[in-house]
Amino acid sequence: MSQLNRRDSLKTLAALGAAGTLGGLSSLASAQKPLTIGVIYVGPRDDYGYNQAQAQAAAEVKKMPGLKVVEEENVPETAAVQKTMTGMISQDGAKVLFPTSFGYFDPHILALAPKNPDVRFSHCGGMWTAGKHPTNVGSYFGYIDECQYLNGVIAGHMTKSNKIAFIAAKPIPQVLRNINAFTLGARSVKPGITCNVIFTGDWSMPVKEAEATNSLADQGCDVFTMHVDSPKVIVETAAKRGKMVCGYHASQAKLAPNAYLTGAEWNWLTAYKTIIDAAQNGKPHPNFLRGGLKEGYVKMSAYGPMVTDAAKKQADDIKAKMIEGKFDIFTAGLKDGKGTVVVPKTLQQTDLELEKMNYLVEGVLGSL
């Protein structure tokens, strides 16, 4: 059922209830008063990527008692999302919203939150700042650069050309953090590895993603990863070219079983449950949630059959150290491609400096 049809149906049901036709049902619904959760996606929920990872969490939330979930997909990062959020609040009675795309935050969430102080807004990836942003707004994200570092370790073992590739949407801090972590992971195996980067300019650009993949394959890159909304095109194109891939967001192993090495996946249910529990129990809205492998916010895809035992062992050993809190990705003395020190002191995952990243480390071939 389309979103428009669903909303029209809700209005019809409401009218029937008011007329007494559904009086008993309405009374029952009022007595139970489920908490309504709204989830908004910038693309389709089955994109094998960013939106699917969020939708997988929403699907689990639907199974939890006392909750109702309403969803809308393919909502652009424009005033359209304000219309969607307003509809969920006024028509569906949503009290917790998960507007999941990066561009929804400013100005759209920030415009609606003050007008709806009894609604909790939880945004994925944005930087909530105390004293600057409304208290009914929050930000959740995961340290998925840990998994991209492990992707890099696997790539470092598997590459034959010592040229790996990263196809990215926009040079925002979260993306740069992943590019740098992937490169550092690979260079921890072979210091001479280079990582070629192409920015497509937006989160979903299938034609440009295919062109970038083919271009980097032509340049000799043999292991690919990415930070775009749907890795599907990149994974399938790389596999057709006989290249290997490390996935992102969700598992794309089904798309290319003979090319898929492993992948960096989200486990958004951990954040969703924390945010929803606070709403159900009248606790303060979690304004800033972050977590990595240790906290269960991110996870690795299963290894493909072609991954060597040596690659698995090194990646697993580093993963164990990450979970123990004994491994730092961004260590003192890291330089950019021009030889300038960009990390003067070792940064732990919780350091907010990492959320302001504006550089590419040595070994990355590409321009911001």
Side-chain angles (χ1 to χ4, degrees), residues 290-318:
R290 295 293 188 271
L293 287 162
K294 179 181 179 181
E295 294 80 12
Y297 277 57
V298 297
K299 59 185 179 180
M300 294 297 292
S301 301
Y303 295 124
M306 70 293 288
V307 178
T308 65
D309 289 341
K312 293 177 187 177
K313 185 179 188 310
Q314 185 170 350
D316 287 345
D317 287 348
I318 294 171

Side-chain angles (χ1 to χ4, degrees), residues 151-192:
N151 272 351
V153 171
I154 298 297
H157 278 272
M158 300 303 295
T159 180
K160 294 179 174 61
S161 67
N162 289 342
K163 295 179 180 180
I164 59 177
F166 200 114
I167 297 168
K170 303 179 181 182
I172 63 171
Q174 290 94 330
V175 176
L176 300 181
R177 194 166 168 176
N178 280 334
I179 295 168
N180 291 334
F182 180 63
T183 305
L184 291 169
R187 286 168 69 90
S188 74
V189 180
K190 299 175 187 173

Side-chain angles (χ1 to χ4, degrees), residues 12-292:
T12 302
L13 288 172
L16 288 169
T21 307
L22 297 176
L25 189 58
S26 297
S27 299
L28 180 62
S30 297
Q32 292 177 336
K33 290 183 180 178
L35 176 66
T36 299
I37 313 294
V39 188
I40 305 164
Y41 312 100
V42 73
R45 285 174 287 181
D46 57 351
D47 66 351
Y48 281 95
Y50 183 84
N51 297 288
Q52 184 167 316
Q54 300 279 358
Q56 286 171 345
E60 293 301 313
V61 170
K62 289 177 186 177
K63 301 174 185 177
M64 296 164 60
L67 299 175
K68 175 187 174 184
V69 176
V70 294
E71 302 167 276
E72 189 160 340
E73 58 191 337
N74 297 311
V75 180
E77 294 176 326
T78 66
V81 73
Q82 294 191 41
K83 185 177 180 181
T84 294
M85 289 189 289
T86 299
M88 287 181 168
I89 294 166
S90 62
Q91 295 176 24
D92 301 310
K95 293 297 183 183
V96 180
L97 291 181
F98 290 93
T100 60
S101 194
F102 184 81
Y104 291 163
F105 186 71
D106 188 359
H108 309 298
I109 291 172
L110 297 182
L112 284 191
K115 301 174 185 176
N116 299 276
D118 61 334
V119 177
R120 298 172 181 232
F121 296 77
S122 288
H123 176 252
C124 186
M127 278 283 286
W128 182 88
T129 305
K132 179 180 179 182
H133 297 135
T135 55
N136 63 324
V137 173
S139 163
Y140 66 95
F141 206 61
Y143 301 133
I144 203 162
D145 53 330
E146 294 176 352
C147 297
Q148 280 289 17
Y149 186 96
L150 297 174
N151 272 351
V153 171
I154 298 297
H157 278 272
M158 300 303 295
T159 180
K160 294 179 174 61
S161 67
N162 289 342
K163 295 179 180 180
I164 59 177
F166 200 114
I167 297 168
K170 303 179 181 182
I172 63 171
Q174 290 94 330
V175 176
L176 300 181
R177 194 166 168 176
N178 280 334
I179 295 168
N180 291 334
F182 180 63
T183 305
L184 291 169
R187 286 168 69 90
S188 74
V189 180
K190 299 175 187 173
I193 285 176
T194 56
C195 179
N196 290 58
V197 175
I198 291 179
F199 292 97
T200 62
D202 213 339
W203 300 114
S204 181
M205 302 284 281
V207 173
K208 286 190 176 181
E209 290 160 12
E211 291 173 349
T213 306
N214 280 314
S215 173
L216 293 174
D218 290 343
Q219 294 173 50
C221 296
D222 59 0
V223 183
F224 286 72
T225 194
M226 69 296 291
H227 190 148
V228 298
D229 269 4
S230 175
K232 187 174 188 290
V233 168
I234 298 168
V235 170
E236 292 180 333
T237 304
K240 286 176 184 175
R241 293 294 303 270
K243 309 301 181 180
M244 297 170 282
V245 291
C246 294
Y248 187 56
H249 292 314
S251 175
Q252 295 88 41
K254 290 180 181 179
L255 298 175
N258 296 319
Y260 196 81
L261 299 175
T262 185
E265 298 184 38
W266 300 106
N267 182 29
W268 288 130
L269 184 61
T270 304
Y272 275 37
K273 287 171 71 174
T274 301
I275 293 160
I276 292 167
D277 176 73
Q280 285 180 312
N281 294 288
K283 300 175 186 175
H285 185 43
N287 298 123
F288 197 79
L289 286 178
R290 295 293 188 271

